[in-house]
Amino acid sequence: MLICEILQQSTAVLATAGVDTPALDAELLLGHCLGMSRTELTLNAKDVVPDTLFLQFQTFLNRRTEREPLAYILGVQEFWSLDFVVTPDVLIPRPETEQLLEKVIAFYSDEQVGDGLLVDLCCGSGAIAVVLAKELQRKVIAIDISFEALLVAKTNCEKHGVSHLVSLLQANLLSALPFISNIACVVSNPPYVSRQEMASYMQPEVLNYEPHLALDGGQNGLELIERIQKQLLSRLIPNGHLFMEIGTEQAQALCNLFTRKETPKQSFSDVSVQKDYAGHDRIFHAKMNSQTL
Ligand code: GLN
C-alpha cells in the first residue's frame, strides 16, 4: 500500500476508536515505523510501504486503537523540547508541568538562591529533574518510591547529559532525608487525582495504561500532598520554597492546609496558586517562614 492510503485508512480506524487526534497519531506511528518525519511522509506520499514495515505499523495501530497512549507505543514523549524516554512505569510528562518548571526557573533567575538542596519529589521519568539540572546547572535530588520509575529517570539523565548533576533516590516521599537536610526548594508533581475522578472522567489512555501509583492521591486526592506538607515543616529551611502541580479543584484546600499554623513558629507564607494555559488552577507555591523551629 501507499503511504497516503495507509494514512487515510488508519486515520479512519483511529477516529472510530475515539482517539482525539487520529490523523496526527496515524502520521506519528507510520513515521516512527518508516523512520520519516511528518513532512517526509507528505513528500513521499506515493511511496509503497514494504510489507514488513506495514505489519509493524499494524501492530502499533492496533495498540493505539486499544487506546494505549501514543507515547508508550513510541517510547518517547517530547517535553521542554527534549525527547524523554517513557514506559508504563512512569507518567507521561504533560504541558502543565512545563509551566511548573517555567515558574521555578524564573524564580531561580530572579532571586538569590543559596546552596540548599533542590529536590524533585515523585520524579517519575525524571522530566523535572533533568530540565532543572540542564537549565539551572545545579544539583538535583530526584526521589521516587518506584524503583522502575527511577530506572527510566536514570536513562533520561544519561540521555540528556545531566547524570553528574542528578542524584536518584528511592524513598517514600522525603522520609529518607533527615530533618536537618538543608532543603531549599522542593519541586513536585505528586499523585493528586481523587478516587472519584479516577472512577469517573478519566480518558482510557490514562486510566488503563498510566501508573496509578503516579496518579492516585487517595480519597480526596490530597493524601500525599498532606504528607508532603507535614514532612516539609521539619525539613525545609527557613525561607525555603515548594513549587507543586495540583489538581484544578484543590487550590482552596491547599491554601488552607499550608496556612494552618501547626505551631506559632512552623508555618508557610506567600501561598499562591497559578492557573495553567487552560485556565485551571494548577501551580501551587508556598514559602517556609523565616522563623522555624
Ligand atoms: N495531570 C494528570 C492527569 O490529570 C495527573 C498528574 C498527577 O496526578 N500528578 O491525568
Side-chain angles (χ1 to χ4, degrees):
M1 277 219 285
L2 306 182
I3 286 180
C4 56
E5 293 169 341
I6 296 177
L7 286 178
Q8 204 176 17
Q9 284 185 15
S10 51
T11 299
V13 170
L14 291 176
T16 309
V19 170
D20 272 352
T21 51
L24 176 66
D25 287 25
E27 286 175 23
L28 290 171
L29 288 173
L30 187 60
H32 183 71
C33 293
L34 303 182
M36 285 187 188
S37 67
R38 290 170 59 212
T39 317
E40 285 168 328
L41 289 177
T42 312
L43 292 174
N44 301 297
K46 299 285 175 204
D47 281 9
V48 175
V49 174
D51 285 349
T52 47
L53 292 177
F54 181 61
L55 279 177
Q56 192 196 10
F57 171 74
Q58 281 293 348
T59 16
F60 286 170
L61 184 70
N62 290 342
R63 286 168 65 184
R64 189 69 189 103
T65 307
E66 296 290 323
R67 305 291 296 271
E68 181 172 346
L70 190 74
Y72 290 152
I73 303 172
L74 302 179
V76 288
Q77 172 66 37
E78 189 189 310
F79 178 84
W80 203 263
S81 301
L82 300 169
D83 277 343
F84 281 87
V85 170
V86 288
T87 73
D89 288 315
V90 299
L91 201 71
I92 299 165
R94 291 155 163 71
E96 293 87 334
T97 310
E98 293 179 324
Q99 256 177 290
L100 172 71
L101 281 166
E102 279 166 16
K103 193 167 167 77
V104 179
I105 290 164
F107 167 77
Y108 267 80
S109 57
D110 289 350
E111 304 243 345
Q112 281 294 356
V113 187
D115 286 335
L117 300 178
L118 172 57
V119 176
D120 171 5
L121 189 58
C122 308
C123 70
S125 66
I128 290 178
V130 166
V131 172
L132 290 178
K134 255 182 114 73
E135 298 284 341
L136 304 176
Q137 286 298 309
R138 277 179 177 257
K139 291 198 168 145
V140 182
I141 299 185
I143 300 177
D144 207 286
I145 198 167
S146 158
F147 183 71
E148 290 73 22
L150 288 168
L151 290 178
V152 179
K154 181 171 185 284
T155 306
N156 283 317
C157 289
E158 286 162 3
K159 187 175 163 74
H160 297 295
V162 292
S163 300
H164 62 298
L165 290 172
V166 180
S167 306
L168 300 165
L169 178 64
Q170 185 182 16
N172 191 346
L173 302 178
L174 292 165
S175 56
L177 298 182
F179 279 13
I180 312 293
S181 46
N182 197 26
I183 303 174
C185 183
V186 171
V187 184
S188 183
N189 177 15
Y192 58 69
V193 182
S194 69
R195 291 276 156 77
Q196 194 207 338
E197 285 173 289
M198 299 279 293
S200 54
Y201 87 101
M202 274 193 152
Q203 294 264 63
E205 278 87 347
V206 182
L207 192 62
N208 300 334
Y209 290 93
E210 295 205 77
H212 286 198
L213 186 64
L215 293 163
D216 186 352
Q219 204 54 39
N220 59 359
L222 296 174
E223 280 178 20
L224 279 101
I225 293 178
E226 283 166 0
R227 281 166 53 203
I228 292 171
Q229 188 261 1
K230 221 178 230 142
Q231 291 187 340
L232 285 176
L233 283 170
S234 49
R235 286 177 178 80
L236 206 52
I237 60 170
N239 297 317
H241 292 260
L242 167 69
F243 295 91
M244 185 166 61
E245 186 175 319
I246 62 167
T248 182
E249 306 291 341
Q250 295 171 343
Q252 193 54 54
L254 283 195
C255 290
N256 294 343
L257 175 67
F258 278 76
T259 48
R260 193 173 67 195
K261 299 250 182 309
E262 310 287 329
T263 74
K265 287 184 175 176
Q266 273 187 309
S267 72
F268 293 86
S269 56
D270 288 12
V271 173
S272 66
V273 175
Q274 188 183 308
K275 292 192 187 305
D276 61 21
Y277 291 126
H280 299 129
D281 287 338
R282 188 67 65 196
I283 296 154
F284 179 81
H285 168 254
K287 181 177 165 189
M288 193 70 183
N289 274 345
S290 52
Q291 267 201 318
T292 52
L293 283 184

